[in-house]
Amino acid sequence: LTIKVDPEKCIGCGKCKEECFVSAIKMKKGKALIGKGCAGCGMCAMACPEGAIEISIDDPLYIEKAQKRYEELCEL
């Protein structure tokens, strides 16, 4: 999974940070920065009004692995 923030499109509104349930997004110099704790749920990309967050999946088993991670998070 690759998640990128396009700094040219990011307006620093923080909506992505508000949606992040694992607190993996920080704001740095008025731009979103996605950290290693990202769960890969895609909520940040959906929340971004400027379309500044791009997600690409390179692992064909990603969905199964993500589902397992989410189940573990819900058990906490």
Side-chain angles (χ1 to χ4, degrees):
L1 177 77
T2 305
I3 300 179
K4 296 180 184 177
V5 177
D6 183 339
E8 297 294 319
K9 290 182 180 179
C10 180
I11 59 171
C13 67
K15 290 182 180 179
C16 57
K17 182 179 177 180
E18 292 171 12
E19 288 297 320
C20 185
F21 69 94
V22 293
S23 302
I25 301 176
K26 309 288 183 227
M27 301 305 289
K28 186 173 182 180
K29 296 183 181 179
K31 304 290 179 178
L33 180 65
I34 301 173
K36 291 183 182 180
C38 174
C41 70
M43 293 300 293
C44 57
M46 289 189 288
C48 180
E50 301 299 316
I53 302 173
E54 181 180 310
I55 300 174
S56 58
I57 299 172
D58 16 307
D59 179 357
L61 298 176
Y62 176 77
I63 300 297
E64 292 176 32
K65 292 175 185 176
Q67 182 178 2
K68 194 176 231 181
R69 282 194 317 270
Y70 299 146
E71 289 171 357
E72 290 170 2
L73 285 171
C74 290
E75 291 175 6
L76 296 176

